[in-house]
Amino acid sequence: MSGVALAMFVGLFAWGQQIVGYDDPHGKVQLALLATFSLGLTIGYRASR
């Protein structure tokens, strides 16, 4: 499951503008994706301990 999440994150982070078609001239959508992924990793790690 974490492999699928990582692949989705990389795909959206790198090619999200082409795939989804959002407009992100200042990088705020990419910042939100990075923050969401980081928090998900942290919560997932803490839940598995």
Side-chain angles (χ1 to χ4, degrees), residues 1-14 19 33 37:
M1 194 60 144
S2 62
V4 173
L6 182 61
M8 287 175 58
F9 168 72
V10 170
L12 282 174
F13 193 80
I19 294 171
L33 284 170
F37 187 74

Side-chain angles (χ1 to χ4, degrees), residues 2-47:
S2 62
V4 173
L6 182 61
M8 287 175 58
F9 168 72
V10 170
L12 282 174
F13 193 80
W15 300 286
Q17 290 178 331
Q18 292 86 14
I19 294 171
V20 182
Y22 59 79
D23 187 31
D24 189 26
H26 301 292
K28 291 183 179 179
V29 174
Q30 284 187 332
L31 182 62
L33 284 170
L34 181 63
T36 303
F37 187 74
S38 300
L39 290 172
L41 279 177
T42 304
I43 291 169
Y45 175 74
R46 291 182 55 109

